[in-house]
Amino acid sequence: MAGLAPIDRAKAQAELIIDLDALVANWRLLAARSAPARCAAVVKADAYGIGTEQAARSLFHAGCKIFFVAHVSEGVRVRAVTGAEAEIYVLNGLLSGVERLQSYLSYGLKPVLGSLHDLQLWSGSGIGASVPAALHVDTGMNRLGFGVDELLSLAGMVQTVRVDLLMSHFVSSELPKDGLNDQQIARFEKLRSAFPALAASMANSSALFLPQQPFFDLVRPGYALYGGNPTPGSKNPMRSVVTLRTPVLQIREIKAGESVGYNVQWTAKRKTKLATIGVGYADGMPRNLMATDQRAGGEAVVNDKLCPFAGRVSMDLTVLDVTDAGDVRPGTMVELLNARWGVDEMAERAGTIGYEILTNLSRRYHRIYKGG
Ligand SMILES: *Cc1c(COP(=O)(O)O)cnc(C)c1O
């Protein structure tokens, strides 16, 4: 996906409209919610698929001065569009190699250290005395980060490097009733009292909506900035950021009993009007959105009506049942993602999460950035 040149409008099958004003409004809403804690923006993975440069630039001008990325390469891209003033943390920790360590110094990137190995490497590099780092403590994920007791035992060694942030990450913050949230907060509090001089950060998007309000000094939302629902099961408090539109390529009518698509998975129960669109799984449309005779698949908005998918999603094509959508003809615009049918709705049908939908948004789409 990444690496393909931008596709111009006349040659693209579909267009992805990215509303940077909505992105900024979402950041402001989360910043107001978490104040007086500072609000960062997580812009890893090409800003969850919407575009690192556009997202980081808009957010920086709106007042966001702290960014989190996963990779050094992403940090370099954020630095290029923000001022020297922006603080950029690299979540995935250090990877060995002198050249890579040098990038932290050259671009002023702050590594998020999460193991004794990281700490030794950083301390030994000589860079650790000048560029500040963050310490990531694992309070339950068992993925990246120091163990709680491990970090307590390393307090002396931590003195050998500059550190300005202590952070941890929630396992189930989108489930407010999960008891692990309280346990993680308690473990984090224990460490915070051992490192009282460090700013502290725990909250991702969903944690901004937890009753415990674990905001500390800095919050780190990603998903909600891009319009994803941080409160699954309740109304989405965020503004929609992405709209995906594509024209109908062809219309056909079939009789009851005829099938649609590969392997006869979907059979018409009535006389049916079908519309074929030029978006498929190669565009990041999950193949799991297939509609079979056993289960409903994806849906798309045509003439303000939700129209179900019919049959399997192909590589470059998908078929919709537009029987109930009124006047549909070649060229009629179909919306696959919009404010009404967003990444959460699509993800639920596909058996995945909206994060995966966003980060798979194809480079084949012509991208249109609004506002910002
Ligand atoms: C991705 C990530 C976030 C942002 O999480 P969202 O659920 O997208 O808000 C915050 N912190 C860490 C460590 C992350 O990896």
Side-chain angles (χ1 to χ4, degrees):
M1 292 206 310
L4 277 183
I7 310 275
D8 71 48
R9 191 170 203 168
K11 300 192 191 78
Q13 289 270 304
E15 57 194 30
L16 184 69
I17 301 153
I18 295 159
D19 185 344
L20 296 172
D21 290 339
L23 171 77
V24 164
N26 287 340
W27 180 78
R28 292 205 165 111
L29 184 120
L30 300 175
R33 194 178 171 83
S34 53
R38 295 216 284 163
C39 187
V42 181
V43 293
K44 62 194 181 194
D46 202 27
Y48 290 50
I50 76 156
T52 299
E53 282 78 11
Q54 291 84 354
R57 193 186 293 119
S58 303
L59 291 168
F60 183 74
H61 289 301
C64 177
K65 302 295 174 214
I66 308 176
F67 295 87
F68 286 83
V69 294
H71 296 182
V72 168
S73 62
E74 297 168 346
V76 171
R77 288 169 62 190
V78 173
R79 179 62 73 204
V81 295
T82 58
E85 195 193 343
E87 296 178 56
I88 305 168
Y89 291 94
V90 180
L91 287 168
N92 275 14
L94 289 181
L95 294 159
S96 43
V98 176
E99 223 176 292
R100 210 180 287 265
L101 287 181
Q102 196 56 41
S103 300
Y104 288 95
L105 186 62
S106 311
Y107 298 96
L109 307 178
K110 302 182 183 187
V112 176
L113 308 177
S115 66
L116 176 59
H117 178 255
D118 274 357
L119 188 56
Q120 284 169 334
L121 205 64
W122 193 241
S123 173
S125 72
I127 304 170
S130 48
V131 179
L135 298 175
H136 186 180
V137 57
D138 194 313
T139 51
M141 187 81 95
N142 286 319
R143 192 176 64 171
L144 272 186
F146 295 97
V148 175
D149 293 331
E150 181 189 21
L151 188 53
L152 289 171
S153 74
L154 291 173
M157 191 172 175
V158 167
Q159 304 291 324
T160 63
V161 294
R162 268 181 74 193
V163 176
D164 64 3
L165 184 68
L166 179 68
M167 57 171 270
S168 191
H169 192 45
F170 280 106
V171 172
S172 304
S173 58
E174 78 284 13
L175 305 172
K177 297 206 172 72
D178 194 314
L180 194 48
N181 293 323
D182 278 331
Q183 283 179 39
Q184 286 192 275
I185 293 168
R187 290 174 193 147
F188 190 64
E189 289 281 19
K190 183 173 162 195
L191 266 169
R192 226 164 61 92
S193 49
F195 297 93
L198 294 184
S201 173
M202 252 199 122
N204 68 331
S205 298
S206 291
L208 277 157
F209 295 84
L210 282 175
Q212 295 93 332
Q213 304 197 315
F215 306 155
F216 300 101
D217 303 298
L218 176 69
V219 296
R220 310 186 307 268
Y223 189 53
L225 295 174
Y226 309 104
N229 187 358
T231 58
S234 307
K235 189 176 169 326
N236 189 350
M238 312 315 298
R239 266 177 64 180
S240 165
V241 174
V242 294
T243 302
L244 177 58
R245 290 155 39 95
T246 192
V248 169
L249 300 177
Q250 187 173 342
I251 296 287
R252 63 167 18 82
E253 293 212 351
I254 61 171
K255 297 196 289 280
E258 285 195 78
S259 73
V260 176
Y262 287 117
N263 308 124
V264 193
Q265 295 294 296
W266 187 95
T267 318
K269 297 192 175 54
R270 56 176 177 171
K271 184 174 165 222
T272 301
K273 183 173 173 185
L274 301 170
T276 301
I277 55 172
V279 170
Y281 60 77
D283 302 285
M285 188 60 44
R287 190 166 169 279
N288 268 341
L289 287 176
M290 68 174 74
T292 71
D293 292 329
Q294 280 74 46
R295 74 188 259 281
E299 296 191 47
V301 180
V302 190
N303 292 336
D304 278 329
K305 288 247 156 51
L306 271 175
C307 294
F309 286 20
R312 290 207 158 148
V313 173
S314 311
M315 186 184 290
D316 314 298
L317 299 166
T318 297
V319 181
L320 307 173
D321 176 351
V322 295
T323 315
D324 301 322
D327 182 16
V328 186
R329 47 183 90 194
T332 299
M333 274 295 172
V334 170
E335 295 200 341
L336 289 153
L337 289 171
N338 62 19
R340 171 169 171 204
W341 189 259
V343 290
D344 291 281
E345 286 76 19
M346 181 184 280
E348 198 191 331
R349 289 295 174 88
T352 183
I353 52 174
Y355 294 68
E356 195 179 32
I357 302 291
L358 280 172
T359 53
N360 280 329
L361 288 172
S362 177
R363 289 282 162 192
R364 285 167 123 189
Y365 301 144
H366 170 65
R367 287 166 175 243
I368 299 169
Y369 289 93
K370 279 185 8 192

